[in-house]
């Protein structure tokens, strides 16, 4: 999961530590393996890369296998177990006990349609990936969304002039404070995204519906999901993000903190993406939740849970199998990117008020689910 510990980009921030410690506390020995795949290739390509990584690491023993995937990684995990393992590695399939998806678009996300619609959406996606990587590499939320807006405007001008690649290339050169090695790695990463964006099409509701028909759950494997949703953008929520206070007052509107554009711009980016994720989209055909799923969704998000989104994926699109945990969180909170100094640093500002006790609670419920899968198999 995520990136290798000796790399500076940490995708699953703090998750590895929680899982390793949690399994030990429950009396199990565990080895958490990192799986890196092409960020925007098709689900088919990504899932084959995941299978290759599993086959390499799992060949060292005969232990049970649990897969955890965040966002599109949840679809990759399902494809590995349902499509590729039966064909290419049936001996591994017999060892798989559970698949846990976290904030995964099991029924697609309308946001993919925005990114896929035209060349401007593709350029915006490329820039979004750039700043995501830059934020994770530096371990802090960058004050670069101001530049994000600027360079998106430049990309629009570039499209009119016919220079589609110019804006992204200029941004890469502007990151001069990266080491030569880091800059080369980033350029290669961006080059991959520029050449291959098939994943975006794969995540549109229609394409994911086809994927679900071709990817039935495997008998004997437990499937669980962690479902996230962040508050609807509002003035109050924006003030909370800007001031860092749970109950901001009128005086906070006049404080010097309100002069800092960074949190306002980042919150604006969240609000914009959340709107594009369109939780009410009729193109996204989700089944009625089971009684147990319905109770969990209502307990966390209220009767209007169908109107929630984590800023990227509508909440109702994330339910698959047993609902392990439903939590108020944005798309990145739940993997350890939230604001709680000094150990945790967030990237989005969504007003979710996600904290470490909630983070630990979510992943301990995931641990209980996985351990239950082991016990259910008699292991």
């Amino acid at each position: 999961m995520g990136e290798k510990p000796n790399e500076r980009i940490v995708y699953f921030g703090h998750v590895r530590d929680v899982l390793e410690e949690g399994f030990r506390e429950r009396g199990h020995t565990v080895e958490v393996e990192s799986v890196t795949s092409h960020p925007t290739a098709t689900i088919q390509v990504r899932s084959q890369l995941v299978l290759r990584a599993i086959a390499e690491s799992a060949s060292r023993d005969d232990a049970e296998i649990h897969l955890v995937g965040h966002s599109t990684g949840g679809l990759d995990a399902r494809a590995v177990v349902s499509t590729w393992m039966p064909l290419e590695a049936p001996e591994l399939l017999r060892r798989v006990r559970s698949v846990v998806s976290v904030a995964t678009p099991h029924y697609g996300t309308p946001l993919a349609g925005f990114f896929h619609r035209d060349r401007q959406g593709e350029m915006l996606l490329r820039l979004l990936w750039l700043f995501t990587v830059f934020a994770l590499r530096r371990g802090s939320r960058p004050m670069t969304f101001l530049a994000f807006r600027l360079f998106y405007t430049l990309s629009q001008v570039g499209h009119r002039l016919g220079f589609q690649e110019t804006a992204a290339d200029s941004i890469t050169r502007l990151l001069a404070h990266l080491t030569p090695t880091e800059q080369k790695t980033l350029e290669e990463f961006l080059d991959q995204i520029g050449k291959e964006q098939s994943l975006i099409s794969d995540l549109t509701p229609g394409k994911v519906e086809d994927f679900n028909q071709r990817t039935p759950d495997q008998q004997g494997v437990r499937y669980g999901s962690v479902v996230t949703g962040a508050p609807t953008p509002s003035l109050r929520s924006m003030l909370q993000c800007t001031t860092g206070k749970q109950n901001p007052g009128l005086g906070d509107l006049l404080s010097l903190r309100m002069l800092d554009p960074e949190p306002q711009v980042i919150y604006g980016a969240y609000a914009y993406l959340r709107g594009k994720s369109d939780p009410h989209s009729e193109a996204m055909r989700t089944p009625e939740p089971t009684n147990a799923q319905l109770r969990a969704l209502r307990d966390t998000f209220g009767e209007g849970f169908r109107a929630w989104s984590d800023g990227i994926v509508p909440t109702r699109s994330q339910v698959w199998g047993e609902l392990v945990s439903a939590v108020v969180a944005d798309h990145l909170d739940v993997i350890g990117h939230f604001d709680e100094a000094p150990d945790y640093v967030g990237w989005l500002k969504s007003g979710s008020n996600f904290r470490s006790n909630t983070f630990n609670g979510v992943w301990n419920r995931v641990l209980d689910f996985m351990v239950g899968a082991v016990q259910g198999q008699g292991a």
Side-chain angles (χ1 to χ4, degrees), residues 1-7 9-16 19 32-37 50 53 68-70 73 136 335 337:
M1 297 185 305
E3 304 293 335
K4 298 183 174 73
N6 63 336
E7 294 175 346
I9 299 175
V10 181
Y11 187 78
F12 277 87
H14 299 276
V15 174
R16 175 189 293 271
L19 291 181
V32 179
E33 292 288 346
S34 301
V35 177
T36 304
S37 62
V50 172
V68 180
H70 172 252
L136 300 180
I335 55 170
H337 299 291

Side-chain angles (χ1 to χ4, degrees), residues 304-344:
F305 66 87
R306 291 178 178 83
W308 283 65
S309 166
D310 66 8
I312 303 295
V313 182
T315 297
R316 63 187 175 99
S317 182
Q318 301 175 30
V319 181
W320 193 270
E322 182 177 333
L323 206 163
V324 177
S325 181
V327 60
V328 176
D330 64 45
H331 197 66
L332 296 179
D333 284 338
V334 77
I335 55 170
H337 299 291
F338 55 92
D339 285 320
E340 187 176 312
D343 296 326
Y344 300 89

Side-chain angles (χ1 to χ4, degrees), residues 293-311:
Q293 292 169 347
L294 189 60
R295 282 194 300 271
L297 291 169
R298 285 174 171 169
D299 286 347
T300 302
F301 307 111
E303 293 292 334
F305 66 87
R306 291 178 178 83
W308 283 65
S309 166
D310 66 8

Side-chain angles (χ1 to χ4, degrees), residues 267-281:
Y267 184 79
Y270 157 74
Y272 181 76
L273 291 173
R274 192 186 190 282
K276 292 296 182 181
S277 72
D278 192 7
H280 296 290
S281 173

Side-chain angles (χ1 to χ4, degrees), residues 69-354:
H70 172 252
S71 195
T72 311
L75 300 180
D76 296 338
R78 286 177 49 205
V80 167
V81 173
S82 294
T83 303
W84 301 113
M85 279 187 175
L87 292 174
E88 301 182 14
E91 71 285 355
L92 292 179
L93 179 59
R94 289 190 288 270
R95 295 163 54 185
V96 175
R97 297 294 178 261
S98 70
V99 173
V100 177
S101 57
V102 181
T104 293
H106 291 291
Y107 299 93
T109 173
L111 185 61
F114 166 68
F115 285 131
H116 184 62
R117 190 173 298 127
D118 55 37
R119 293 290 297 173
Q120 290 187 2
E122 291 180 6
M123 179 64 75
L124 180 58
L125 172 68
R126 197 176 187 198
L127 298 178
L128 181 61
W129 268 109
L130 187 158
F131 289 116
T132 301
V133 171
F134 186 57
L136 300 180
R137 182 179 291 272
R138 288 297 173 189
S140 62
R141 185 180 59 253
M143 189 177 173
T144 46
F145 261 98
L146 292 173
F148 182 93
R149 285 187 170 181
L150 170 62
F151 290 124
Y152 181 45
T153 301
L154 290 177
S155 74
Q156 292 176 307
V157 174
H159 281 300
R160 296 190 185 101
L161 297 175
F163 302 112
Q164 286 86 354
E165 297 284 334
T166 302
D169 294 341
S170 297
I171 293 170
T172 303
R173 288 192 294 271
L174 284 171
L175 297 178
H177 54 282
L178 294 179
T179 67
T181 300
E182 289 176 326
Q183 191 163 356
K184 183 175 185 296
T185 299
L186 190 55
E187 288 172 351
E188 291 174 351
F189 182 86
L190 288 171
D191 187 56
Q192 280 187 312
I193 293 174
K195 292 178 179 177
E196 175 63 272
Q197 296 184 355
S198 302
L199 176 65
I200 309 308
S201 174
D202 280 0
L203 297 182
T204 57
K207 286 292 188 69
V208 179
E209 185 175 355
D210 292 341
F211 170 84
N212 289 337
Q213 292 176 354
R214 302 191 310 269
T215 316
D217 289 352
Q218 276 291 340
Q219 187 174 1
V221 177
R222 291 185 69 196
Y223 291 80
S225 53
V226 174
V227 176
T228 56
T232 301
S234 66
L235 176 60
R236 176 180 174 80
S237 185
M238 187 272 288
L239 288 175
Q240 288 175 333
C241 293
T242 302
T243 64
K245 296 181 179 181
Q246 181 65 26
N247 296 300
L250 181 61
D252 294 307
L253 287 171
L254 305 176
S255 68
L256 290 176
R257 188 175 297 186
M258 292 299 295
L259 299 178
D260 179 6
E262 178 189 358
Q264 297 176 52
V265 172
I266 294 175
Y267 184 79
Y270 157 74
Y272 181 76
L273 291 173
R274 192 186 190 282
K276 292 296 182 181
S277 72
D278 192 7
H280 296 290
S281 173
E282 295 181 359
M284 194 173 55
R285 294 186 286 186
T286 57
E288 283 299 309
T290 66
N291 289 335
Q293 292 169 347
L294 189 60
R295 282 194 300 271
L297 291 169
R298 285 174 171 169
D299 286 347
T300 302
F301 307 111
E303 293 292 334
F305 66 87
R306 291 178 178 83
W308 283 65
S309 166
D310 66 8
I312 303 295
V313 182
T315 297
R316 63 187 175 99
S317 182
Q318 301 175 30
V319 181
W320 193 270
E322 182 177 333
L323 206 163
V324 177
S325 181
V327 60
V328 176
D330 64 45
H331 197 66
L332 296 179
D333 284 338
V334 77
I335 55 170
H337 299 291
F338 55 92
D339 285 320
E340 187 176 312
D343 296 326
Y344 300 89
V345 181
W347 188 72
L348 286 175
K349 275 190 174 290
S350 63
S352 66
N353 296 308
F354 193 85

Side-chain angles (χ1 to χ4, degrees), residues 19-73:
L19 291 181
E20 290 178 341
E21 181 180 352
F23 270 113
R24 284 196 300 268
E25 291 175 349
R26 290 162 175 79
H28 296 272
T29 301
V30 65
E31 185 174 342
V32 179
E33 292 288 346
S34 301
V35 177
T36 304
S37 62
H38 190 301
T40 51
T42 64
I43 294 173
Q44 176 178 337
V45 170
R46 289 164 53 97
S47 57
Q48 287 178 314
L49 291 172
V50 172
L51 176 59
R52 189 181 308 163
I54 293 173
E56 181 179 340
S57 63
S59 63
R60 299 192 291 266
D61 54 46
D62 60 353
E64 291 89 358
I65 297 172
H66 300 269
L67 303 181
V68 180
H70 172 252
S71 195
T72 311

